[in-house]
Amino acid sequence: MIELNQIVKKYRTKDQDILAVDHVDLSIQSGTIFGVVGFSGAGKSTLIRLLNNLETPTSGEVIIDGATINKLSKAQLRKKRQKLSMVFQHFNLLWSRTVVQNIMFPLEIAGVSKKEAALRAKQLVDVVGLKGKEYAYPSELSGGQKQRVGIARALANEPDVLLCDEATSALDPQTTDEILDLLLKIKRERNLTIVIITHEMHVIRRICDEVAVMEAGRVVEHGNVKEVFENPRQPVTQRFVKDDLNDDYEKTNTELIEIDKNDFIVRFSFSGTNTTKPLVSYITKAHDINVNILEANIKHTKEGSIGFLVAHLQNLNSEKFENLESDLSDQCVSVEVLKHE
């Protein structure tokens, strides 16, 4: 388990103090994939570097499996870091070394024999799907392949925790999904705790169990991924979710649409099994309402699907609309009125 207790990180410059992390409290359960999302400058990369003491907190405690990381001796910290591996955005590979030699590097530092290190490295080549590339150099690899080497290297010392700092942001969308699938596979096989720092809500939605949203150094929202997607409370979270769902339909857009008296333009939000139900057909048949779809999208999380539907409902009075709203609420479909005449 990872615990952050009132973590503060300040950088002192000649002119001012910069507060990068502002009194953050977090608990990350062992064996989970925990995501931290935020825009540039939110403090998320500083936060992950505090977990392995690459950055020392100005105040507060980082506790991992009962050990307070920022209070360990140098020798104790070196030993602990072998169980806290990191995957970097720009791979950080040694360009003069082959794939196998890059994976062997942390084992050499840990004092593992060359024979055992080579054997373990070749096994990890298979784990990350690079068989046949054992003796290739980084310059001969694609971005996705380089990141697979980075992941294999991070697994070399058989860590308990894998820290991923923007590990997919330098990759194209297809390669990003392949790397995310690899991380899921590794987590299942090795029961790792994975902490992912990202500015892409797609990454959070695809593989994370929990998410913390950071803004201006603070955690402004935290919870189960599905719950946060279904009910984002903070404006920054709402923006992330809307961007990921490609939900760019604003209330102002309705001004461009002419509707008649007793018409409604609404946004339906739904999740789980509701995403597979024929909602439009149901509304038409059960409530005798004409429905014109204006915009819709569905995305998938680890725990189910989420989605939205913007629709023009024609010729229904307030009582009929209230009956529809009540019926859909019982089915866990929320209704937001965007325009009504």
Side-chain angles (χ1 to χ4, degrees):
M1 185 173 181
I2 301 173
E3 296 180 74
L4 282 71
N5 297 329
Q6 286 293 290
I7 288 294
V8 174
K9 179 61 181 180
K10 291 181 180 178
Y11 293 102
R12 290 180 170 83
T13 66
K14 184 178 179 180
D15 300 322
Q16 62 179 337
D17 287 351
I18 298 172
L19 187 58
V21 177
D22 185 5
H23 295 88
V24 167
D25 289 308
L26 279 179
S27 293
I28 301 173
Q29 298 296 320
S30 297
T32 62
I33 302 181
F34 191 97
V36 180
V37 66
F39 292 110
S40 179
K44 58 190 186 297
S45 289
T46 300
L47 186 72
I48 199 171
R49 291 170 66 84
L50 289 164
L51 295 182
N52 58 5
N53 216 48
L54 287 176
E55 296 282 358
T56 304
T58 304
S59 62
E61 294 181 323
V62 177
I63 303 171
I64 301 180
D65 294 334
T68 304
I69 297 297
N70 50 309
K71 293 183 179 178
L72 297 178
S73 67
K74 289 184 178 180
Q76 290 172 325
L77 182 59
R78 280 196 299 270
K79 186 174 181 181
K80 191 68 175 177
R81 277 178 174 162
Q82 291 178 9
K83 297 300 179 181
L84 298 170
S85 288
M86 198 156 185
V87 180
F88 301 91
Q89 176 181 359
H90 296 297
F91 323 126
N92 288 14
L93 302 181
L94 299 170
W95 291 80
S96 61
R97 286 182 167 230
T98 65
V99 167
V100 166
Q101 290 169 339
N102 265 283
I103 300 170
M104 289 173 62
F105 185 62
L107 297 171
E108 294 169 7
I109 294 174
V112 176
S113 70
K114 189 173 182 179
K115 182 178 180 181
E116 183 180 347
L119 177 61
R120 199 180 301 179
K122 288 177 181 178
Q123 290 171 340
L124 286 168
V125 165
D126 289 344
V127 168
V128 300
L130 285 177
K131 191 171 184 178
K133 297 288 185 179
E134 294 90 336
Y135 304 108
Y137 288 90
S139 60
E140 301 172 299
L141 302 176
S142 68
Q145 290 170 334
K146 290 172 189 172
Q147 195 57 286
R148 287 173 186 268
V149 179
I151 292 170
R153 180 185 57 191
L155 295 174
N157 277 314
E158 299 178 342
D160 299 318
V161 179
L162 195 62
L163 306 174
C164 302
D165 187 7
E166 297 278 11
T168 61
S169 63
L171 306 176
D172 63 73
Q174 181 178 335
T175 307
T176 291
D177 284 345
E178 291 171 358
I179 294 298
L180 295 178
D181 288 341
L182 175 61
L183 289 173
L184 274 173
K185 171 178 171 287
I186 290 167
K187 185 263 179 186
R188 286 194 298 266
E189 293 175 352
R190 297 170 180 253
N191 196 31
L192 289 172
T193 302
I194 300 179
V195 182
I196 295 180
I197 300 297
T198 183
H199 64 274
E200 300 173 290
M201 207 62 172
H202 166 77
V203 172
I204 301 295
R205 175 173 52 78
R206 275 288 308 273
I207 70 169
C208 292
D209 302 298
E210 289 191 63
V211 59
V213 183
M214 289 193 72
E215 185 177 33
R218 300 185 67 88
V219 172
V220 297
E221 194 157 356
H222 168 220
N224 172 276
V225 168
K226 185 169 176 285
E227 292 171 357
V228 169
F229 263 85
E230 289 176 355
N231 186 31
R233 298 188 304 274
Q234 298 298 320
V236 64
T237 314
Q238 292 167 1
R239 180 178 169 187
F240 271 119
V241 171
K242 284 177 69 96
D243 287 349
D244 184 57
L245 286 173
N246 297 320
D247 181 4
D248 56 2
Y249 196 96
E250 301 289 347
K251 286 187 178 182
T252 53
N253 293 354
T254 62
E255 300 302 321
L256 304 175
I257 301 174
E258 293 185 5
I259 62 175
D260 297 326
K261 187 177 180 180
N262 293 332
D263 284 5
F264 289 78
I265 295 180
V266 299
R267 176 189 276 108
F268 300 110
S269 299
F270 40 85
S271 63
T273 57
N274 293 309
T275 58
T276 60
K277 291 181 179 179
L279 182 63
V280 172
S281 176
Y282 175 79
I283 293 172
T284 301
K285 292 178 181 178
H287 293 271
D288 190 27
I289 296 172
N290 292 327
V291 181
N292 178 28
I293 298 173
L294 302 178
E295 188 172 345
N297 202 354
I298 294 175
K299 298 284 186 177
H300 304 284
T301 72
K302 286 179 68 178
E303 294 186 5
S305 301
I306 57 173
F308 76 95
L309 169 68
V310 178
H312 176 194
L313 309 182
Q314 297 175 317
N315 193 27
L316 62 162
N317 57 33
S318 296
E319 182 181 357
K320 196 170 185 179
F321 178 78
E322 288 171 5
N323 290 336
L324 170 67
E325 191 175 28
S326 176
D327 182 13
L328 295 182
S329 177
D330 291 341
Q331 300 180 52
C332 298
V333 177
S334 65
V335 182
E336 177 189 1
V337 178
L338 301 180
K339 188 176 182 179
H340 171 51
E341 294 291 339

